[in-house]
Structure formats: structure tokens, C-alpha cells
Amino acid sequence: MTQQITPELRQWIVAQAEAGHSAEAVLQSMRASGWDEDVAVQAMEDSLRDHLEARAQAQGLPPAVAVPEPDLDDEPLCLDAGDRRVAVLASLAQPRIVVFGGLLDDAECEALIAAARPRLSRSLTVAMASDGEEVNEDRTSEGMFFTRAESPLVARIEARIARLLRWPQENGEGLQVLCYRPGAEYKPHHDYFDPQQPGTPTILRRGGQRVATLVIYLGEPDKGGATVFPELQLAVAPRRGNAVFFSYERPHPSTRTLHGGAPVLAGEKWIATKWLREREFV
Ligand code: PD2
Ligand code: ZN
């Protein structure tokens, strides 16, 4: 017999949480009144998620959307990315941040750098106010974009990322390669497009919002150059072949995904960034 999750049950779950009862305690009482464990867990997850979302929207936040998410359910040490196994080195649930080890091998990093190097120019950021691109003093790196599946190497890496993050390859922007020389940095920012800016509706026509970022380290500096999350006091070391992933379910600072590239102090830092959109990026 299937057990019905009624509005009354949902309200009861929310009331328990608001009264400060732990998830474990609520689950225990549901089990004691005859609820199947899986049904109870699902009912709790759905009720609390919907309740929090209603509250967020009542406060004027933009709606939450689905985001890419690697499969960390059984606390794996490694994930199958199709043609490669990728290590899970660290993860944070809220905001969702995952550090991966060995996403690319040394030869792949070298090949991406070699293909990008002759095409570098001073990085532009999307100029939100005018919907064009402009040189930005907050971003003192040099960069270039590959088009999607531009070469067999780029296509292979994109397929690996799609499998790892369980997000369609066509929802990705082209890989961007950046080089930071000593002194270069990327000041803290959010990667989503600010809904308040006049240029944003035009940008969103190409596949909706950005919902996640994967920064892959291709070349290590000798010192400095961490990817930093100032609100979390988290710094990810830029080790070659590793990557940091983070997602943001709404274009709002409440996601606490403010992040930057700390100044390179010695040597050169090379990265490839993959930004993931809600829908196919055209
Ligand atoms: O280079 C980085 O660590 C970095 C920091 C912040 C890259 C990006 N943002 C990005 O490409 O969005
Ligand atoms: Zn960024």
C-alpha cells in the first residue's frame, strides 16, 4: 500500500523543524507511527525544501533552479567521469563546493595551454551595463575562449565534465583559458549574471543563467593564486589537473558563492573555466 504525503503531514514536518527538532528525531517519530523510512525521508526533504523556497521567494529572492551536482551520495573517494576516474578531495554542502583531483592529466593540461597561448589577450568581462565586453581592472589575467567541441581534446574534456557533473554538454559555455602572471588576480565576484543589470536579459537569451562553475588548474604558480571564497574563508590551492566546482541555484548573494583568484606571487597560474548554464548555450 502506498503512503500518502498529505498537506497536513507536510505542515507537521515543517512545524517540527521550526520547533528545533532534529531531522533524525522527526524521522524516528515518523517511523514509530508506521511510515516507511524512504517515504519519510522523501517527505521531509520535499516539505522542507518547498517551505524554504516559499520563504526565500517571499523575501524577494529570485526562484531557485536545478543545478549540476556530482553524485556524492555514497561518499565516494572517486567518481567515474567516463574515460577517467576523478578523485573527490573535499566537499562542502552549503554552498555546494567540491574539489576534484586528477580531472585532467599533465599532457592534457600542457596541450590546452599550448593551444591557448598564441590566442591570449587581456581578459574582458561582460560589461553588465552596456551588454558588451570591457577591460576590467579587477581581472588582470590574459585569456581566450575555445568554442564548444573545437578540437577532439576540448570535446573529450567537455564530455568528461558533463559526465562528472551530470549536466548536458550543450549547456556549457566554451572553455575559457586564463593565464595569470605575477601580480595578476581576479577580485572577488559572483559568476551569475546580475538580474538588476540592463544587459542581463540579452545575455540570458543564450541559455539562461549560469548555475555552476568549474575552474580547472592547468598550470601551477610557485606561490599565491588560490581560488578564494572570502565569505567562507576557504582557499583552494591551484594544483595542476585538479579543479574546484561550485553551484548557485539562484542569482543572489545569499548563495555565498562570492569567489576570486588571489594574486599570483611567483610563477604563472593557468586555468580553464567551464561555466554551466540552465539550458543549451547557443
Ligand atoms: O582563477 C581563479 O581561481 C578564478 C577565480 C574566480 C577563476 C574565476 N573566478 C572564474 O573563471 O570565474
Ligand atoms: Zn568567477
Side-chain angles (χ1 to χ4, degrees):
M1 210 182 77
T2 60
Q3 298 181 307
Q4 282 299 322
I5 301 163
T6 60
E8 290 71 28
L9 175 65
R10 287 167 158 267
Q11 278 167 16
W12 178 82
I13 290 171
V14 170
Q16 298 305 302
E18 284 182 333
H21 298 299
S22 70
E24 198 48 48
V26 178
L27 183 59
Q28 284 312 324
S29 353
M30 287 185 71
R31 299 256 291 130
S33 4
W35 287 89
D36 172 79
E37 169 144 1
D38 290 348
V39 177
V41 167
Q42 194 65 53
M44 287 172 59
E45 281 178 6
D46 293 351
S47 308
L48 295 171
R49 189 198 336 94
D50 291 355
H51 175 70
L52 289 174
E53 182 58 19
R55 224 169 50 180
Q57 290 193 35
Q59 286 169 7
L61 301 197
V65 298
V67 298
E69 173 70 357
D71 185 3
L72 302 184
D73 275 356
D74 297 325
E75 302 172 35
L77 274 69
C78 268
L79 289 171
D80 176 12
D83 61 347
R84 224 180 139 78
R85 293 185 63 76
V86 174
V88 179
L89 299 183
S91 69
L92 188 67
Q94 210 52 259
R96 172 51 100 201
I97 300 176
V98 183
V99 181
F100 294 113
L103 176 61
L104 302 190
D105 66 25
D106 287 352
E108 290 170 331
C109 292
E110 285 302 332
L112 276 183
I113 291 174
R117 192 188 289 278
R119 290 163 60 181
L120 291 182
S121 57
R122 176 72 192 274
S123 291
L124 302 174
T125 44
V126 176
M128 293 293 184
S130 62
D131 135 50
E133 286 189 315
E134 61 184 16
V135 172
N136 186 335
E137 280 310 312
D138 290 346
R139 193 183 195 190
T140 47
S141 54
E142 294 170 80
M144 55 77 67
F145 273 97
F146 289 107
T147 57
R148 220 169 40 232
E150 176 175 322
S151 67
L153 172 67
V154 166
R156 183 170 87 221
I157 293 169
E158 287 172 350
R160 190 180 300 162
I161 294 170
R163 175 86 176 255
L164 179 71
L165 302 179
R166 302 188 293 176
W167 202 249
Q169 198 166 334
E170 58 270 21
N171 293 20
E173 298 182 29
L175 270 179
Q176 184 185 44
V177 174
L178 290 183
C179 170
Y180 301 77
R181 300 187 207 278
E185 67 180 313
Y186 196 171
K187 296 243 172 76
H189 60 275
H190 295 97
D191 280 354
Y192 55 73
F193 302 109
D194 181 350
Q196 306 304 324
Q197 291 295 329
T200 295
T202 310
I203 293 169
L204 297 187
R205 270 189 234 137
R206 298 186 71 185
Q209 265 292 356
R210 285 180 177 162
V211 289
T213 304
L214 181 72
V215 175
I216 310 168
Y217 306 109
L218 305 178
E220 302 184 359
D222 298 317
K223 261 195 257 175
T227 302
V228 296
F229 294 79
E231 296 160 314
L232 312 172
Q233 300 189 34
L234 174 67
V236 179
R239 299 304 306 266
R240 183 213 283 267
N242 290 3
V244 59
F245 163 81
F246 53 98
S247 64
Y248 23 98
E249 61 182 7
R250 59 180 110 241
H252 193 270
S254 61
T255 54
R256 297 192 301 153
T257 53
L258 185 73
H259 66 283
V264 168
L265 302 176
E268 281 183 3
K269 170 189 172 189
W270 288 79
I271 62 163
T273 301
K274 177 61 102 178
W275 286 293
L276 302 172
R277 299 287 192 107
E278 287 175 85
R279 296 182 288 281
E280 182 181 4
F281 178 72
V282 287

